Amino acid sequence: MSNRVLIIGGGPAGLTAARHVSELGYHATLVEKQAQLGGTPIASHYAALTHGFRDAEGAFRGLINEVTDDDQIDVRLNSTVVGCEGHVGNFRVQVANGTGALGSVTNHTLDAGAIIVATGFQHFDPAGETQIYNYYTYPDVVTLADMELMLKTKNVTRRSNGALPERVCFVQCVGSRDRQIGNEYCSKVCCGVASKQAIEIKQLVPTAKVFIFYIDMRMYGYWENEIYWPAQEKYKVNYIKGIITEVIQKGDKLLVRGEDTTMGRPMEVTMDMVVLSVGMEPSAGTREVAQALNLKQNKYGFIDVPHESLDPTTTHKPGIFVAGAAAGPKDLDDTMSMAGLAALRAMAAVRGPN
Ligand SMILES: Cc1cc2nc3c(=O)[nH]c(=O)nc-3n(C[C@H](O)[C@H](O)[C@H](O)COP(=O)(O)OP(=O)(O)OC[C@H]3O[C@@H](n4cnc5c(N)ncnc54)[C@H](O)[C@@H]3O)c2cc1C
Ligand code: SF4
């Protein structure tokens, strides 16, 4: 029997789960695929986070330090789980570490009483979109993730010519709410993130006109008040209910075509930059871990949670729990809350019945 909790993934969910496990006196092993902790917000260079437009790196630095400085948490970077035997209270897990000489991989075995999967998401690749957005053709068509880096480096300029953009638009629901590609779900965060970025663009380039083309705006909780209304009222961001079907080059501008669904008529507008609000898909690592642990995935590839509303962290396998975006699109509030619950459930599992 082992009372160690294995946490797979060192993003916001995994870090939070590890910290809670340790706070309550248990030992954790945190296995992270990359060479650094912090998850997608750090690896993808997010700029400011909701709430409060806090610098992403600053926001996570404290949590990362707490985890790495904690003697009860064994952090394994450049590592992933490749196999698992046993059952709750007594898992034997094969971990592959990829830092050996010349990139060679070494395998070793870990004992754990419970496992938390926190392997997160990846950004939808616009190549999979059925609309013609030409992300890989025109340098001035970028994604939300690209824009985060531009905002972080305070360099919101056109990639084609280095000029400041006069007109920027966001296209919502790219890779989400789309039956044709099989991603019918809403990615939850992209309406808020696009509105946040629109504000940040206006702060950096006050002369720019910023537009958001949306099917319907889905603001989450306080984001309505903290982002959506200030974007409209203070920063004069233009929200247009419409569906964009095509982005093509016209001279040195981008011609954005679609339908204004309020007016019920076709629309053509020119822009300097187009930002595709790409949604969240299960990360490759989430799919790999599902295979390694023999976990059921839902139809989109996220880890399946059989009783999601009432028991959001319990998977089909006793002793294996899930937290954060590995189980579906999540913002940070939900990710952190879920990680706390997963930690609690994992500790209850290793402790066994009273
Ligand atoms: C553009 C954009 C901006 C956003 N901005 C905000 C915001 O301002 N506010 C907000 O609340 N939310 C925001 N979000 C959502 C936020 O990023 C997620 O809620 C959060 O990252 C989820 O954390 P996570 O730990 O579940 O997953 P991730 O952040 O994806 O972390 C998963 C970690 O697991 C690791 N991993 C993956 N597979 C394996 C494996 N097989 N083995 C070991 N490790 C593995 C990864 O390397 C990564 O470190 C934004 C999302 C997007 C797309
Ligand atoms: S959050 Fe907004 S942009 Fe993202 S999928 Fe949902 S409705 Fe579309």
Side-chain angles (χ1 to χ4, degrees):
M1 293 290 283
S2 168
N3 64 359
R4 181 170 283 276
V5 177
L6 171 67
I7 297 156
I8 312 169
L15 288 166
T16 306
R19 187 183 61 175
H20 287 315
V21 166
S22 170
E23 269 171 358
L24 286 171
Y26 286 78
H27 286 82
T29 301
L30 179 61
V31 168
E32 165 56 51
K33 199 177 190 180
Q34 300 183 52
Q36 62 177 2
L37 297 172
T40 307
I42 300 299
S44 292
H45 311 286
Y46 289 178
L49 295 174
T50 62
H51 305 269
F53 290 72
R54 214 175 144 198
D55 163 62
E57 236 174 274
F60 285 110
R61 197 172 304 119
L63 181 55
I64 292 171
N65 288 344
E66 269 182 53
V67 167
T68 47
D69 292 348
D70 191 327
D71 292 341
Q72 295 193 141
I73 306 172
D74 171 17
V75 177
R76 313 266 180 111
L77 298 177
N78 299 302
S79 299
T80 189
V81 166
V82 290
C84 179
E85 290 165 2
H87 48 80
V88 55
N90 197 6
F91 289 111
R92 306 256 313 144
V93 183
Q94 283 85 53
V95 174
N97 177 284
T99 53
L102 302 172
S104 65
V105 176
T106 52
N107 282 337
H108 52 273
T109 305
L110 278 175
D111 292 328
I115 300 173
I116 298 173
V117 177
T119 44
F121 75 100
Q122 64 191 34
H123 303 105
F124 173 77
D125 180 350
E129 185 52 78
T130 50
Q131 316 285 4
I132 305 160
Y133 293 146
N134 282 313
Y135 174 72
Y136 288 103
T137 309
Y138 304 134
D140 291 328
V141 180
V142 301
T143 65
L144 278 187
D146 299 327
M147 183 52 74
E148 286 291 333
L149 178 58
M150 290 182 178
L151 291 166
K152 186 171 177 174
T153 53
K154 303 210 180 316
N155 182 27
V156 178
T157 50
R158 299 182 63 185
R159 285 172 172 177
S160 59
N161 59 12
L164 287 177
E166 289 168 17
R167 290 163 65 86
V168 181
C169 78
F170 289 80
V171 177
Q172 296 306 105
C173 300
V174 176
S176 313
R177 302 180 65 195
D178 186 335
R179 288 186 181 189
Q180 268 182 306
I181 58 169
N183 286 358
E184 299 100 340
Y185 57 86
C186 168
S187 286
K188 288 187 179 174
V189 299
C190 12
C191 279
V193 171
S195 300
K196 173 194 79 85
Q197 291 190 355
I199 291 175
E200 292 172 282
I201 292 171
K202 289 291 288 185
Q203 288 171 340
L204 277 176
V205 191
T207 49
K209 287 196 161 51
V210 182
F211 303 81
I212 297 183
F213 294 108
Y214 66 96
I215 302 176
D216 44 41
M217 283 316 274
R218 296 189 171 176
M219 283 291 161
Y220 218 28
Y222 297 126
W223 291 10
E224 176 93 8
N225 211 31
E226 292 178 4
I227 304 170
Y228 177 67
W229 287 115
Q232 290 210 38
E233 291 171 354
K234 185 168 174 201
Y235 292 96
K236 310 296 176 206
V237 174
N238 302 286
Y239 286 79
I240 299 170
K241 195 168 171 66
I243 294 173
I244 303 304
T245 51
E246 197 175 8
V247 179
I248 54 170
Q249 189 91 40
K250 190 180 182 196
D252 74 337
K253 304 277 181 195
L254 294 167
L255 183 69
V256 177
R257 284 193 177 132
E259 189 194 335
D260 179 328
T261 45
T262 306
M263 307 303 284
R265 61 182 183 215
M267 166 178 65
E268 271 195 9
V269 282
T270 52
M271 294 287 156
D272 295 309
M273 286 175 79
V274 173
V275 187
L276 304 177
S277 287
V278 289
M280 296 166 94
E281 288 191 323
S283 68
T286 291
R287 294 176 190 271
E288 286 157 20
V289 161
Q291 297 289 316
L293 301 182
N294 200 16
L295 285 178
K296 202 166 165 189
Q297 292 165 265
N298 69 17
K299 65 185 279 203
Y300 311 113
F302 291 106
I303 304 297
D304 195 50
V305 178
H307 306 292
E308 190 165 2
S309 311
L310 299 179
D311 194 3
T313 63
T314 298
T315 70
H316 288 263
K317 289 192 97 174
I320 304 187
F321 303 91
V322 61
K330 301 263 167 339
D331 73 341
L332 286 167
D333 297 23
D334 286 354
T335 293
M336 303 312 219
S337 317
M338 202 175 169
L341 178 62
L344 205 69
R345 299 299 309 272
M347 286 181 288
V350 297
R351 198 182 58 170
N354 278 323

